[in-house]
Amino acid sequence: MSIQTIPAESKAPFFTQCSVWLLIFLHVLRGALTLSFLFPLINDQKKQEHIQRWSRRLLSIFNIQLRVKGAEMLPHTTYLLASNHISWLDIHVINAFRPVRFVAKSEVASWPVFGWMAKQLRTVFIRRDSARHARHVVGQVADVLKTESICIFPEGTSTLGDEVLAFKPNLFESATVALVPVYPMAIQYLSSATGKRSYSPAFIGEMGLLESMANVVQNRHLIVELAILPPMAIPSNGVIADRKDLAQYSQEAISKALRSQ
């Protein structure tokens, strides 16, 4: 699927695009070598440092500015992040801010290079068409949350970013099982030239990964904003919210945050 992202006269020059593609290739190669040869030898903290540096460098190659609001709200203990989903870039943006584990659709595992890298980073893959598999993944995510924070994309698909689709509640159950807080996170991509929403990073429909990457390469004026939002307050009766309450609260909080921009 192809969408109009930026006017033709605003696209990066051809030779600039070629140089960016070369930098991407070299950067991905470096990442693959790091995962293959260095990661088996270092501890988790060093791995997170490498992931964060690699992700920040990737954003730099694409000339994407990262802005984060509300980072001070996140605790030092583990938590579940629930984010709207726009692009394959979302994972790298979040890792550039603060590396976490992810739950991703099973199709990601088959992506060239990036799918292999996601496996090496211990991404939890979920089959969207299988309720039984979703229940199994809930148990996996709850186990991860005992020691590591994890991010989910409860819309179940990526969108243009104009609206937030209804959040699927299944994976929120992992937070209630693990007894960790859920922090909604709103993500949006903007044009640094106009300040308006940019559709260049959108990865939707039948669009291929390389087509989506090309849209980003052509646009050298991108800002990505992450807004960490407060978790759902514990009711006065002390009853812990269930997965449906958490999903609805998170979806509404993110929708409100995006509308206020």
Side-chain angles (χ1 to χ4, degrees), residues 80 141-142 145 171-182 246:
L80 181 73
V141 174
L145 286 170
L171 291 177
F172 286 90
E173 186 175 345
S174 61
T176 65
V177 172
L179 298 177
V180 300
V182 177
L246 290 169

Side-chain angles (χ1 to χ4, degrees), residues 2-152:
S2 181
I3 58 173
Q4 182 64 36
T5 55
I6 53 176
E9 63 271 15
S10 299
K11 291 183 179 180
F14 174 75
F15 289 109
T16 298
Q17 294 183 43
C18 290
S19 65
V20 172
W21 278 112
L22 177 60
L23 289 173
I24 293 170
F25 172 78
L26 294 174
H27 190 57
V28 171
L29 177 61
R30 178 186 176 186
L33 292 174
T34 300
L35 288 172
S36 298
F37 299 106
L38 183 59
F39 265 42
L41 305 175
I42 59 178
N43 60 33
D44 288 343
Q45 181 178 346
K46 290 294 184 183
K47 288 177 181 178
Q48 289 193 336
E49 291 172 0
H50 277 281
I51 291 168
Q52 186 175 49
R53 282 199 299 269
W54 189 92
S55 299
R56 287 179 174 177
R57 175 56 182 157
L58 183 68
L59 297 190
S60 177
I61 291 172
F62 282 119
N63 200 39
I64 298 174
Q65 301 175 47
L66 172 61
R67 298 176 180 172
V68 182
K69 302 176 181 178
E72 68 282 354
M73 282 191 290
L74 292 178
H76 295 294
T77 53
T78 60
Y79 50 84
L80 181 73
L81 275 179
S83 174
N84 61 311
H85 193 21
I86 297 172
S87 175
W88 56 273
L89 271 170
D90 295 350
I91 288 177
H92 305 296
V93 168
I94 295 166
N95 275 336
F97 158 55
R98 185 172 298 181
V100 294
R101 295 273 296 275
F102 288 88
V103 176
K105 59 184 181 180
S106 57
E107 292 91 333
V108 171
S110 63
W111 287 359
V113 184
F114 283 102
W116 175 83
M117 294 176 77
K119 292 177 185 177
Q120 304 310 306
L121 296 174
R122 298 182 298 155
T123 299
V124 178
F125 295 104
I126 182 171
R127 295 200 300 271
R128 291 181 297 177
D129 58 348
S130 173
R132 182 177 180 182
H133 187 250
R135 289 193 296 271
H136 173 69
V137 170
V138 167
Q140 283 185 270
V141 174
D143 286 340
V144 171
L145 286 170
K146 294 175 182 177
T147 56
E148 299 176 82
S149 298
I150 198 164
C151 179
I152 60 174

Side-chain angles (χ1 to χ4, degrees), residues 225-241:
E225 288 190 350
L226 298 179
I228 313 300
L229 307 170
M232 185 175 182
I234 298 176
S236 57
N237 59 12
V239 176
I240 298 175

Side-chain angles (χ1 to χ4, degrees), residues 150-182:
I150 198 164
C151 179
I152 60 174
F153 299 110
E155 290 170 293
T157 187
S158 49
T159 72
L160 283 172
D162 287 326
E163 61 180 351
V164 182
L165 303 180
F167 278 9
K168 295 176 172 57
N170 287 352
L171 291 177
F172 286 90
E173 186 175 345
S174 61
T176 65
V177 172
L179 298 177
V180 300
V182 177

